[in-house]
mmCIF file of all heavy atoms in Angstrom:
data_model
loop_
_atom_site.group_PDB
_atom_site.id
_atom_site.type_symbol
_atom_site.label_atom_id
_atom_site.label_comp_id
_atom_site.label_asym_id
_atom_site.label_seq_id
_atom_site.Cartn_x
_atom_site.Cartn_y
_atom_site.Cartn_z
ATOM 1 N N VAL A 1 28.342 -5.726 10.989
ATOM 2 C CA VAL A 1 28.447 -5.477 12.417
ATOM 3 C C VAL A 1 28.608 -3.986 12.639
ATOM 4 O O VAL A 1 29.613 -3.397 12.235
ATOM 5 C CB VAL A 1 29.619 -6.245 13.045
ATOM 6 C CG1 VAL A 1 29.713 -5.935 14.537
ATOM 7 C CG2 VAL A 1 29.460 -7.738 12.821
ATOM 8 N N GLU A 2 27.620 -3.386 13.297
ATOM 9 C CA GLU A 2 27.649 -1.965 13.602
ATOM 10 C C GLU A 2 28.237 -1.737 14.988
ATOM 11 O O GLU A 2 28.095 -2.568 15.885
ATOM 12 C CB GLU A 2 26.244 -1.361 13.550
ATOM 13 C CG GLU A 2 25.568 -1.469 12.198
ATOM 14 C CD GLU A 2 24.357 -2.371 12.233
ATOM 15 O OE1 GLU A 2 24.382 -3.380 12.968
ATOM 16 O OE2 GLU A 2 23.377 -2.065 11.525
ATOM 17 N N SER A 3 28.848 -0.583 15.154
ATOM 18 C CA SER A 3 29.374 -0.195 16.451
ATOM 19 C C SER A 3 29.428 1.323 16.532
ATOM 20 O O SER A 3 29.348 2.016 15.517
ATOM 21 C CB SER A 3 30.759 -0.795 16.697
ATOM 22 O OG SER A 3 31.695 -0.340 15.733
ATOM 23 N N GLY A 4 29.574 1.828 17.743
ATOM 24 C CA GLY A 4 29.756 3.252 17.955
ATOM 25 C C GLY A 4 28.572 3.980 18.538
ATOM 26 O O GLY A 4 28.685 5.165 18.881
ATOM 27 N N GLY A 5 27.437 3.317 18.663
ATOM 28 C CA GLY A 5 26.272 3.972 19.215
ATOM 29 C C GLY A 5 26.372 4.160 20.714
ATOM 30 O O GLY A 5 27.250 3.622 21.378
ATOM 31 N N GLY A 6 25.458 4.957 21.239
ATOM 32 C CA GLY A 6 25.423 5.221 22.661
ATOM 33 C C GLY A 6 24.691 6.502 22.971
ATOM 34 O O GLY A 6 23.932 7.022 22.149
ATOM 35 N N LEU A 7 24.922 7.011 24.167
ATOM 36 C CA LEU A 7 24.307 8.243 24.632
ATOM 37 C C LEU A 7 25.227 9.420 24.335
ATOM 38 O O LEU A 7 26.422 9.375 24.640
ATOM 39 C CB LEU A 7 24.027 8.164 26.129
ATOM 40 C CG LEU A 7 23.428 9.403 26.788
ATOM 41 C CD1 LEU A 7 22.041 9.692 26.228
ATOM 42 C CD2 LEU A 7 23.385 9.214 28.299
ATOM 43 N N VAL A 8 24.662 10.465 23.748
ATOM 44 C CA VAL A 8 25.433 11.647 23.398
ATOM 45 C C VAL A 8 24.612 12.891 23.710
ATOM 46 O O VAL A 8 23.380 12.874 23.623
ATOM 47 C CB VAL A 8 25.867 11.608 21.913
ATOM 48 C CG1 VAL A 8 24.660 11.594 20.991
ATOM 49 C CG2 VAL A 8 26.802 12.753 21.584
ATOM 50 N N GLN A 9 25.289 13.966 24.070
ATOM 51 C CA GLN A 9 24.618 15.217 24.388
ATOM 52 C C GLN A 9 24.165 15.941 23.127
ATOM 53 O O GLN A 9 24.795 15.816 22.077
ATOM 54 C CB GLN A 9 25.549 16.121 25.189
ATOM 55 C CG GLN A 9 26.038 15.537 26.501
ATOM 56 C CD GLN A 9 24.933 15.374 27.512
ATOM 57 O OE1 GLN A 9 24.033 16.205 27.597
ATOM 58 N NE2 GLN A 9 24.996 14.311 28.283
ATOM 59 N N PRO A 10 23.080 16.703 23.207
ATOM 60 C CA PRO A 10 22.708 17.546 22.063
ATOM 61 C C PRO A 10 23.869 18.444 21.657
ATOM 62 O O PRO A 10 24.551 19.021 22.500
ATOM 63 C CB PRO A 10 21.525 18.351 22.584
ATOM 64 C CG PRO A 10 20.938 17.498 23.655
ATOM 65 C CD PRO A 10 22.114 16.814 24.307
ATOM 66 N N GLY A 11 24.068 18.549 20.353
ATOM 67 C CA GLY A 11 25.194 19.304 19.832
ATOM 68 C C GLY A 11 26.474 18.514 19.728
ATOM 69 O O GLY A 11 27.452 19.009 19.148
ATOM 70 N N GLY A 12 26.487 17.312 20.266
ATOM 71 C CA GLY A 12 27.672 16.484 20.239
ATOM 72 C C GLY A 12 27.821 15.713 18.951
ATOM 73 O O GLY A 12 27.055 15.869 18.006
ATOM 74 N N SER A 13 28.827 14.852 18.933
ATOM 75 C CA SER A 13 29.163 14.074 17.751
ATOM 76 C C SER A 13 29.390 12.622 18.117
ATOM 77 O O SER A 13 29.791 12.299 19.240
ATOM 78 C CB SER A 13 30.430 14.614 17.079
ATOM 79 O OG SER A 13 30.257 15.939 16.622
ATOM 80 N N VAL A 14 29.139 11.762 17.165
ATOM 81 C CA VAL A 14 29.431 10.346 17.318
ATOM 82 C C VAL A 14 29.731 9.772 15.942
ATOM 83 O O VAL A 14 29.225 10.276 14.928
ATOM 84 C CB VAL A 14 28.266 9.592 17.996
ATOM 85 C CG1 VAL A 14 27.050 9.528 17.080
ATOM 86 C CG2 VAL A 14 28.696 8.202 18.437
ATOM 87 N N ARG A 15 30.551 8.745 15.909
ATOM 88 C CA ARG A 15 30.904 8.099 14.661
ATOM 89 C C ARG A 15 30.492 6.639 14.709
ATOM 90 O O ARG A 15 30.968 5.889 15.564
ATOM 91 C CB ARG A 15 32.406 8.194 14.407
ATOM 92 C CG ARG A 15 32.841 7.751 13.015
ATOM 93 C CD ARG A 15 34.344 7.617 12.936
ATOM 94 N NE ARG A 15 34.840 7.619 11.564
ATOM 95 C CZ ARG A 15 36.056 7.223 11.201
ATOM 96 N NH1 ARG A 15 36.917 6.798 12.106
ATOM 97 N NH2 ARG A 15 36.418 7.263 9.925
ATOM 98 N N LEU A 16 29.616 6.253 13.803
ATOM 99 C CA LEU A 16 29.195 4.872 13.681
ATOM 100 C C LEU A 16 30.047 4.147 12.653
ATOM 101 O O LEU A 16 30.445 4.725 11.651
ATOM 102 C CB LEU A 16 27.727 4.784 13.264
ATOM 103 C CG LEU A 16 26.706 5.522 14.134
ATOM 104 C CD1 LEU A 16 25.303 5.283 13.598
ATOM 105 C CD2 LEU A 16 26.821 5.099 15.587
ATOM 106 N N SER A 17 30.298 2.879 12.906
ATOM 107 C CA SER A 17 31.055 2.046 11.994
ATOM 108 C C SER A 17 30.243 0.817 11.628
ATOM 109 O O SER A 17 29.486 0.295 12.445
ATOM 110 C CB SER A 17 32.381 1.598 12.615
ATOM 111 O OG SER A 17 33.201 2.696 12.925
ATOM 112 N N CYS A 18 30.425 0.352 10.413
ATOM 113 C CA CYS A 18 29.791 -0.876 9.947
ATOM 114 C C CYS A 18 30.825 -1.678 9.184
ATOM 115 O O CYS A 18 31.271 -1.253 8.108
ATOM 116 C CB CYS A 18 28.588 -0.570 9.058
ATOM 117 S SG CYS A 18 27.845 -2.024 8.285
ATOM 118 N N ALA A 19 31.208 -2.814 9.737
ATOM 119 C CA ALA A 19 32.196 -3.683 9.124
ATOM 120 C C ALA A 19 31.497 -4.853 8.446
ATOM 121 O O ALA A 19 30.698 -5.551 9.075
ATOM 122 C CB ALA A 19 33.186 -4.190 10.162
ATOM 123 N N ALA A 20 31.806 -5.068 7.186
ATOM 124 C CA ALA A 20 31.211 -6.144 6.412
ATOM 125 C C ALA A 20 32.182 -7.304 6.273
ATOM 126 O O ALA A 20 33.391 -7.112 6.114
ATOM 127 C CB ALA A 20 30.798 -5.642 5.031
ATOM 128 N N SER A 21 31.643 -8.506 6.324
ATOM 129 C CA SER A 21 32.450 -9.701 6.132
ATOM 130 C C SER A 21 31.613 -10.752 5.405
ATOM 131 O O SER A 21 30.397 -10.635 5.312
ATOM 132 C CB SER A 21 32.963 -10.254 7.464
ATOM 133 O OG SER A 21 31.887 -10.623 8.306
ATOM 134 N N GLY A 22 32.291 -11.786 4.908
ATOM 135 C CA GLY A 22 31.617 -12.833 4.173
ATOM 136 C C GLY A 22 31.855 -12.698 2.686
ATOM 137 O O GLY A 22 32.974 -12.432 2.248
ATOM 138 N N SER A 23 30.804 -12.879 1.927
ATOM 139 C CA SER A 23 30.893 -12.830 0.469
ATOM 140 C C SER A 23 30.831 -11.394 -0.015
ATOM 141 O O SER A 23 29.825 -10.941 -0.570
ATOM 142 C CB SER A 23 29.786 -13.677 -0.151
ATOM 143 O OG SER A 23 29.876 -15.028 0.250
ATOM 144 N N ILE A 24 31.923 -10.689 0.213
ATOM 145 C CA ILE A 24 31.977 -9.277 -0.142
ATOM 146 C C ILE A 24 32.546 -9.140 -1.549
ATOM 147 O O ILE A 24 33.767 -9.125 -1.743
ATOM 148 C CB ILE A 24 32.810 -8.479 0.867
ATOM 149 C CG1 ILE A 24 32.330 -8.748 2.290
ATOM 150 C CG2 ILE A 24 32.732 -6.991 0.542
ATOM 151 C CD1 ILE A 24 30.876 -8.404 2.508
ATOM 152 N N PHE A 25 31.667 -9.059 -2.497
ATOM 153 C CA PHE A 25 32.048 -8.817 -3.873
ATOM 154 C C PHE A 25 30.871 -8.176 -4.594
ATOM 155 O O PHE A 25 29.718 -8.350 -4.199
ATOM 156 C CB PHE A 25 32.483 -10.119 -4.570
ATOM 157 C CG PHE A 25 31.403 -11.161 -4.674
ATOM 158 C CD1 PHE A 25 30.588 -11.234 -5.792
ATOM 159 C CD2 PHE A 25 31.202 -12.072 -3.651
ATOM 160 C CE1 PHE A 25 29.598 -12.190 -5.888
ATOM 161 C CE2 PHE A 25 30.217 -13.041 -3.733
ATOM 162 C CZ PHE A 25 29.411 -13.094 -4.861
ATOM 163 N N ARG A 26 31.186 -7.458 -5.612
ATOM 164 C CA ARG A 26 30.173 -6.770 -6.410
ATOM 165 C C ARG A 26 29.230 -5.971 -5.516
ATOM 166 O O ARG A 26 28.004 -6.050 -5.629
ATOM 167 C CB ARG A 26 29.395 -7.758 -7.274
ATOM 168 C CG ARG A 26 30.279 -8.512 -8.270
ATOM 169 C CD ARG A 26 29.483 -9.543 -9.053
ATOM 170 N NE ARG A 26 28.540 -8.924 -9.966
ATOM 171 C CZ ARG A 26 28.838 -8.518 -11.202
ATOM 172 N NH1 ARG A 26 30.069 -8.681 -11.680
ATOM 173 N NH2 ARG A 26 27.909 -7.970 -11.958
ATOM 174 N N VAL A 27 29.820 -5.189 -4.633
ATOM 175 C CA VAL A 27 29.044 -4.329 -3.743
ATOM 176 C C VAL A 27 28.657 -3.061 -4.490
ATOM 177 O O VAL A 27 29.520 -2.334 -4.979
ATOM 178 C CB VAL A 27 29.838 -3.992 -2.470
ATOM 179 C CG1 VAL A 27 29.058 -3.004 -1.607
ATOM 180 C CG2 VAL A 27 30.143 -5.256 -1.688
ATOM 181 N N TYR A 28 27.370 -2.810 -4.542
ATOM 182 C CA TYR A 28 26.868 -1.642 -5.253
ATOM 183 C C TYR A 28 26.646 -0.444 -4.343
ATOM 184 O O TYR A 28 26.829 0.698 -4.767
ATOM 185 C CB TYR A 28 25.552 -1.979 -5.954
ATOM 186 C CG TYR A 28 25.648 -3.064 -6.994
ATOM 187 C CD1 TYR A 28 24.588 -3.942 -7.206
ATOM 188 C CD2 TYR A 28 26.777 -3.207 -7.784
ATOM 189 C CE1 TYR A 28 24.659 -4.940 -8.154
ATOM 190 C CE2 TYR A 28 26.859 -4.207 -8.739
ATOM 191 C CZ TYR A 28 25.805 -5.066 -8.926
ATOM 192 O OH TYR A 28 25.879 -6.057 -9.884
ATOM 193 N N LEU A 29 26.246 -0.714 -3.105
ATOM 194 C CA LEU A 29 25.803 0.359 -2.238
ATOM 195 C C LEU A 29 25.938 -0.045 -0.777
ATOM 196 O O LEU A 29 25.672 -1.191 -0.411
ATOM 197 C CB LEU A 29 24.336 0.690 -2.549
ATOM 198 C CG LEU A 29 23.667 1.810 -1.774
ATOM 199 C CD1 LEU A 29 24.175 3.154 -2.280
ATOM 200 C CD2 LEU A 29 22.155 1.718 -1.919
ATOM 201 N N MET A 30 26.353 0.882 0.042
ATOM 202 C CA MET A 30 26.267 0.735 1.489
ATOM 203 C C MET A 30 25.643 1.994 2.055
ATOM 204 O O MET A 30 25.876 3.092 1.543
ATOM 205 C CB MET A 30 27.636 0.486 2.122
ATOM 206 C CG MET A 30 28.250 -0.846 1.735
ATOM 207 S SD MET A 30 29.737 -1.259 2.688
ATOM 208 C CE MET A 30 29.004 -1.640 4.297
ATOM 209 N N GLY A 31 24.852 1.809 3.083
ATOM 210 C CA GLY A 31 24.177 2.962 3.638
ATOM 211 C C GLY A 31 23.734 2.756 5.065
ATOM 212 O O GLY A 31 23.886 1.681 5.645
ATOM 213 N N TRP A 32 23.197 3.833 5.613
ATOM 214 C CA TRP A 32 22.671 3.843 6.968
ATOM 215 C C TRP A 32 21.203 4.231 6.946
ATOM 216 O O TRP A 32 20.819 5.206 6.283
ATOM 217 C CB TRP A 32 23.440 4.827 7.849
ATOM 218 C CG TRP A 32 24.842 4.409 8.151
ATOM 219 C CD1 TRP A 32 25.968 4.745 7.470
ATOM 220 C CD2 TRP A 32 25.255 3.564 9.225
ATOM 221 N NE1 TRP A 32 27.064 4.171 8.051
ATOM 222 C CE2 TRP A 32 26.658 3.439 9.131
ATOM 223 C CE3 TRP A 32 24.584 2.911 10.255
ATOM 224 C CZ2 TRP A 32 27.411 2.682 10.031
ATOM 225 C CZ3 TRP A 32 25.321 2.152 11.148
ATOM 226 C CH2 TRP A 32 26.712 2.049 11.032
ATOM 227 N N TYR A 33 20.409 3.459 7.656
ATOM 228 C CA TYR A 33 19.011 3.769 7.902
ATOM 229 C C TYR A 33 18.808 3.953 9.396
ATOM 230 O O TYR A 33 19.630 3.514 10.206
ATOM 231 C CB TYR A 33 18.110 2.642 7.407
ATOM 232 C CG TYR A 33 18.001 2.519 5.901
ATOM 233 C CD1 TYR A 33 19.052 2.030 5.141
ATOM 234 C CD2 TYR A 33 16.829 2.879 5.240
ATOM 235 C CE1 TYR A 33 18.957 1.905 3.767
ATOM 236 C CE2 TYR A 33 16.720 2.752 3.865
ATOM 237 C CZ TYR A 33 17.781 2.264 3.136
ATOM 238 O OH TYR A 33 17.669 2.136 1.771
ATOM 239 N N ARG A 34 17.714 4.575 9.755
ATOM 240 C CA ARG A 34 17.382 4.686 11.163
ATOM 241 C C ARG A 34 15.887 4.523 11.361
ATOM 242 O O ARG A 34 15.094 4.788 10.461
ATOM 243 C CB ARG A 34 17.860 6.014 11.753
ATOM 244 C CG ARG A 34 17.133 7.248 11.234
ATOM 245 C CD ARG A 34 17.773 8.505 11.799
ATOM 246 N NE ARG A 34 17.100 9.710 11.350
ATOM 247 C CZ ARG A 34 17.536 10.939 11.583
ATOM 248 N NH1 ARG A 34 18.661 11.124 12.280
ATOM 249 N NH2 ARG A 34 16.856 11.987 11.140
#
């Protein structure tokens, strides 16, 4: 579940979050694509 997106001004900042749930074991990698 991602959150934190929206409208931001050029030069500004935003922080995206991704919360994982379920069968969370043996996690090798997490990342962001666009």
Side-chain angles (χ1 to χ4, degrees):
V1 179
E2 299 114 324
S3 61
L7 178 64
V8 62
Q9 301 293 323
S13 298
V14 69
R15 190 191 198 196
L16 305 182
S17 299
C18 174
S21 61
S23 300
I24 308 301
F25 63 92
R26 299 177 69 86
V27 175
Y28 299 146
L29 181 75
M30 294 189 72
W32 291 93
Y33 288 73
R34 68 185 181 187

